[in-house]
Amino acid sequence: NIPPTQSLLQKWLRNIYKLHITVYFVDVGEYEFSVGSECNSYSGHTLFMALYDTYEEALEEGLKESLKLV
């Protein structure tokens, strides 16, 4: 069994739960993420203000926070 990749998990969260994870470039070596939704169970857009060293680290944390919502 091959574990799911970040992109497959992100696609699953988007297609099934309508959760959208966006990673923002802040400055060199600084990224943050937000989680937004288009469904009623979780409405709105939440920006998480912690900074991460890489895009992948920010995405990983965004995936974890999104999974907490489902």
Side-chain angles (χ1 to χ4, degrees):
N1 248 352
I2 299 172
T5 63
Q6 288 179 327
S7 59
L8 284 176
L9 178 55
Q10 186 176 17
K11 182 178 179 180
W12 179 77
L13 288 165
R14 184 176 59 250
N15 290 340
I16 302 300
Y17 293 100
K18 307 302 184 210
L19 291 172
H20 300 270
I21 303 162
T22 306
V23 176
Y24 300 95
F25 172 78
V26 178
D27 202 351
V28 176
E30 294 181 348
Y31 298 84
E32 60 190 14
F33 69 90
S34 69
V35 176
S37 177
E38 59 188 68
C39 68
N40 293 333
S41 62
Y42 173 75
S43 60
H45 181 81
T46 304
L47 179 63
F48 294 83
M49 298 303 292
L51 295 177
Y52 301 91
D53 294 334
T54 66
Y55 176 94
E56 291 78 14
E57 289 175 5
L59 177 57
E60 182 77 19
E61 290 304 313
L63 291 168
K64 290 177 187 177
E65 289 298 324
S66 295
L67 285 172
K68 291 177 186 177
L69 297 172
V70 298

